Amino acid sequence: MAQATDITTGTTASWDGEGRVKVVGILCNWCSYAGADGAGTARLRQPFDFRIVRVPCTGRIDPLHILKAFEKGADGVLVSGCHPGDCHYAEGNYYARRKLELLERMLPQLGFEAERFKYTWVSASEAQRWQQVVTEFIKGVEKLGPREGRAL
Amino acid sequence: MKFLPQDQLEAFLSHLAESAIVVAPQRDQDGVLFFQPWEAGAEVEFEQLLTRQSPKDYVFRQTETYLKFGYEMKGKAAAEEEEVGKKSKEGELAAAEEAPPEGEEPAHEVLQVEAVEDAPEQVIFGLRPCDARGYYQMDQVFGGYGGFYYDPYYMAKREATTLVALTCAQPWSTCFCTAVYGSPSGTDGVDLLLTGIEGGFTAEAVTERGEMLLGFGGFTEVGDGQADAAQTVKDEAFTAIDPPFEIEGVPQGLRDNFEDPAWHDLHMRCISCGTCTYVCPNCYCFNITDEMVEKSGERVRTWDNCFNPGYTLETSGHNPREQKFARFRNRFSHKFSYYPEKYDSLLCSGCGRCIRYCPTKIDLREVIRTLGQPHPDQAAPAEDGEAAGVHAQTGEDL
Amino acid sequence: MSPANGNYEAVEQRIRELARAALEEGRVDYFIGWTTGYNESEVIPGFVRSADKVDDLVWNPLAAYNLTTFLKRKMPDPPQAKIGVAVKGCDSRTLVSLLQENLVDRERLYVVGVPCEGIVNRRAVSKVFANEVVKIEVAGDQINVTNQDGETKQLAREDYLLDHCRSCNYPNPRYFDDLAGEAVPEPEDQTPMWREIEEFEALPEKEKDRLMAEAFEKCIRCYACINACPVCYCWDNCVCRSRQPKLVGQKVNAQENLMFQMVHMFHVAGRCPSCGNCDRACPVEIPLYLLHRKMNKELKEMLDFEPGIDLEQKPVFQTFDVNDPFGQH
Amino acid sequence: MRIGVFVCHCGTNIAATVDSEGIAARAGELKGVVHTEDIIYTCSEPGQHAIQRAIREKDLDRVVVAACSPHMHEVTFRRTVEGAGLNPYLFEMANIREHCSWIHADKPEGSEKAYDLIKMAVAKVRDLEPLYANEVEVNKDVLVIGGGVAGIQAALDLAEAGLKVTVVEKETTIGGTMAQLDKTFPTIDCSACILTPRMVDCSQHENIEIMAYSEIDRVQGYVGNFTVDIRKKASMVDWDKCIGCELCQQKCPAKAPDAFNEGIATTKAIYIPFPQAVPKRAAIQVDYCRWFQEGKCRVCERVCPADAIDYKQQDEYVQKEFGAIVVATGQDVFPWEEYYHEYGSGRIPDVISGLQYERMLNASGPTHGHVLRPSTMGQKDVEPEEPQTVVFIQCIGSRDESVGRPYCSNVCCMYTAKQAILTKDHVGMETEVYVFYIDIRAFGKGYEEFVKRAQTEFGVKYVRGRVSKLYEERGKVKVRGMDTLLGKQVEIDADLVVLASGITAADGASELAQRLNISYDQYGFFKESHPKLRPLETNTAGIFLAGACQAPKDIPTTVAQASGTAAKVLGLLAKDKLKTSPMIARVDQNRCVSCWKCIEVCPFGAPEKEELRDGSYKSHIIETVCQGCGICVATCPVNCIDLKGFGTQSVLDQIEEVLLT
């Protein structure tokens, strides 16, 4: 843990470190963000290589935001929202589902391994499920390692 | 004039590559011809005249980083200077703000600027006289012609560039260099002109730079008839092009016909993309942006073009060339009328790429033929609504 | 696709007649068909404003351009013009997409449908000679190509059709006011075929990544693809140009270029029937068609949906079904 | 830009795995950050004071607090910064507790991640702008859609509180399903005796206007300001003149099906559904009227003492304005005939639905409370028979995936028990009564005891199992089923079979939901905003739910919910002005390309076409309608719609910041 001593002064984020991957999560405020909160409250250990962006609804996510994250160097992107039918705004995740499904299907065409992107539904009460989802996803990305020499 | 035997060509390229980057036309995997940096053994394409794009990108880069900058905390400036200093190769560090004295609150920042100078010696090899002429014309824009603007970024690259042109032996049907004061063997901008004849190339130095290239040992003196053979190639090529229009009077004609309803017919199939301008060896418009993340960033120059809606968009939201026909009119008027008013040239060297690679094959020659002739009756301010200021179909004011 | 039956002259004549009638009767201000460009084998969009010019219009297997592009907002001149337009089967599907969203005014439109038997891949044909191709003639099953030296090569028409013509299920227009000639037989099984993309799909991810990077390295961001696209209509306000927000950076490099293309792709998803106009417009030959066909293949599998088929259908990304057969996890 | 970053220790909750002090110091290097501080408990009073002091002393214009989840304390800190004179929306939280310190054990790692989360929050706060809540005037009138017991209860509660209420009912009388019932479980008190006084209260209340025989045509506007078009259906009777004397109904020669009696009897073409109807007014069913069908008759016109018949009457449209809407449209009986072919699809006369049986049990019903076998009714020379063996079958159109109704209808177990008891009561204790059930759900107050009474006191035989087939044989209905407790086939020769038909969404519910822009589930029941925390609200502000339109409910629950809803409406309308969340969508009209995709996708109807001075139309978000979900933002191809507080650029900037720096 070379970064340990550097922590207050160093400029190298250990997120960049050897064996690390960068995974961005985009979570809806009402279900999955709260579910991740719940996982925290329950002290459920989760992987380190994960940073969450909060949005009101998965319906607010444009697939292009995810592609942009990849372009900026993300090794994986995880999107999570309310279960279909439970959207706080009634319909947002139904719209999101179609767009995200198309993105998931297009990514291999652009040279992405399937494990680098996932969209899923985790409710506010599914803390354990959240831990499981995020752990498994990041494990998958870690297996592939950082993206290099990429088109996007 | 000297002679370069065919079998010495590779050696000549290798010789040039010793001291400079050599850029030459090569095919990519799809068979599309581009100017690309040459490496020993790569096949150079001399048969086909037109690369997909002109080689202007090697001097006037589509994306060019002017400078890198960053905001640094005062007090730590010394340590960080070293940091940035490591990153820059040839750049100079300069504190844009004078560093304030030590011991003030740490939130104070200073701007660090690092100029990026990236002008390696290069030889553009095998370009056509029309492409070389493109540089000649851009040189006026960026080189301080008539006391106008001088662009150090362009000029640094231009001065490090040697142009070895090749006479265009078999012009294509879209070629019209001879109509715009050019020639398949023209030497505007060229340092060394090669002309393909049997067994090799004749080589004529146009500039001192070109003269120096002739020092390569593979050149022989021109043999009997070789000079004549080269002249024949040039003459035949010149006569192969039937000038599609008479250039005299075109600048005035376009001015006279500014409000001609024909613009509204000619622009119809234009889709307002920028293909013509980006394949053109002459078009030089650009945009400047700061691309910044957190506290550091780059100032970037990128190509822009007059078909881009943002090109004339004003801060207020008003766009004087909001309509497509106005953008269309501007491109031709600029090349053949506004530019020659200011510089000693046209902004077209007749390569014909804009015709060939236009998605709808808009024909510059047709536009100039239709609207490039002075109209004596329109030289005076137009008062006749039908003829000038009113749209033929709608009756709306233009 | 059945071999050409050589009916081009009759159809061409019919297009001229319909255009003439529409112009003479004042039903349209101008008619958009195909005409010849700087040489006879360059077939380009042709705009006819008066009946005496209708003979400029042509119809032959080189008429690739999708003319519905010129119906997009800001294209018509004058803006409120009544327009006649000729559409092939694939072109009509982009028109249907536009109509589904009320992005063109049906009242001001006169559509001449043109049954099509396949369009020649001009780009591929032009590459059979290193120097300039000056003439392309289609005679029955054969294409004769002549270069500037007068040399001629004979090609089999079947091998040089555009990719989507080889497996075309909708050779007859889906929407028209008048049909120029008789409908050509349509395949009974209209299951789409994706031959041309399967090869690419089979490549390993790393290889696809490399090929994409290579292809988009070439992109010069001239925006010909999006401006030629009939269903891409943001025009002056395209987010790639306004950069509000900065989805696409100003720099021209493979990543930003591919990002730009993704913006286009996702914005036309569900409305693009992959007519190929973007691909043909690209001056540096980026295989855009590959991406758009892939997208349509996935849409077909996802939602059993083909764009531009049914006028009454809602664009798939502006609606949803609670029972969509995916994303249940 | 002068950003202050405050990093919380949360005692050791954060500080145990995150070096709060160290990362606070590091955060000072971020662009725009001029002040950083680490605080032991930021949410405590001294912690909040420290933030306010720093805002004043360091002239901060944006604040980041790195502490717990925004779900915990976002509101707290917004108030804190507002207290120091800063716009509350120039604030952002970094969740370094739930999303960091509590899920990581390693302190260097935890600190590194916490610092990244702060970077993201700083990147976002840089993009924020001050936002101001909007205020709208509120119309204090309430629309209640549906005049069943839910609508009546809500209307009375609201009217008592002083609000003007309009009740719109699609039938000619209010009362709804409850008016059709004979007795109510578990008390077996008379349904009409409870309901009809409330109906009368409703009609006599000065604050209530009943619009019977009317439907909702169009709803526009938003919370506090709805404009509703109501269609008054043509009854062919001038209700201002009609005195409800029933003379027309007596004299009318044309028979018509009697919907109120569930089709087990007939009524007349001109009719009043039942004697206690409110309003008591006649209407003509034109499909059965001789004048309308054959062009002759006009008997009613001749006999009417009030001269109220008006054959030329047309539908009339009324536009009214309301501040809130209560939807209480109730339910329908599951149309079992269309689904249960093994039960004869309705062709066996002695197989009837529970509600039909209810009408038969009712003293004012077609049989005057006598239980009779329908196969013996209405025939010449045949004396109607009383059944000796009655079989009830439960879960018809409930808990049955095969008919698309996996849900429990909530009331059938109880009303079956009630009807079984009433059968014994009306016909005699010697009557054989069987109930086929899957499970008995007797969850309410006194319910379980009630079922027990049916079994023990009244000797109703409960058979656990499903009936596989019903068919006629020798004047009986053969009931073939399985007793799953005994594991035996059971066959019963029944005289009457009553199917406990479940509850299904009211006919036209989904169309109404679309008009109201509220959501509904796959069965057509309206969706509450949150099943636990907002069970009375819909996702459309200002529209509330009461009764079985939301889900199957019994009367006590319905009435309780209706009163709850009334309280919610009162809470809303107690204010003269409404504050709306400013974190909503906004259109940059300069860039709008008028493709109207935003209008297509908005679940709330917030975007509208706005005419500009140049005659063009651009999208515009109605601020009070927008809920801030951002679906339109993600849909707009030019990205000219942005979400205030969750801007697209800020999403991209957070991603870029954390990945690139």
Side-chain angles (χ1 to χ4, degrees), chain A residues 26-96:
Chain A
I26 310 181
L27 270 57
C28 96
N29 180 46
W30 304 99
C31 291
S32 294
Y33 192 89
D37 279 356
T41 310
R43 313 295 201 273
L44 300 174
R45 294 263 170 273
Q46 289 159 51
F48 166 75
D49 298 327
F50 189 60
R51 306 289 185 265
I52 292 170
V53 178
R54 180 169 67 121
V55 293
C57 177
T58 45
R60 194 251 173 279
I61 303 169
D62 188 330
L64 297 166
H65 302 162
I66 294 148
L67 288 167
K68 195 70 189 162
F70 280 122
E71 194 215 321
K72 293 293 177 194
D75 300 311
V77 178
L78 175 65
V79 173
S80 187
C82 307
H83 286 278
D86 289 346
C87 176
H88 182 77
Y89 305 100
E91 301 173 349
N93 53 2
Y94 287 128
Y95 287 109

Side-chain angles (χ1 to χ4, degrees), chain B residues 274-289:
Chain B
T275 304
C276 47
T277 64
Y278 288 179
V279 297
C280 177
N282 301 271
C283 276
Y284 57 80
C285 290
F286 60 85
N287 191 8
I288 297 174
T289 21

Side-chain angles (χ1 to χ4, degrees), chain B residues 71 73 76 105 107 109 292-295 316-317, chain D residues 28-34 126 656-657 660-661:
Chain B
Y71 292 89
M73 299 302 289
K76 294 181 183 171
E105 62 161 322
E109 288 170 338
M292 194 170 174
V293 182
E294 186 55 34
K295 285 183 165 177
S316 66
Chain D
E29 294 171 16
L30 295 169
K31 187 168 81 178
V33 175
V34 297
R126 284 198 291 253
E656 189 175 84
E657 184 82 19
L660 291 186
T661 64

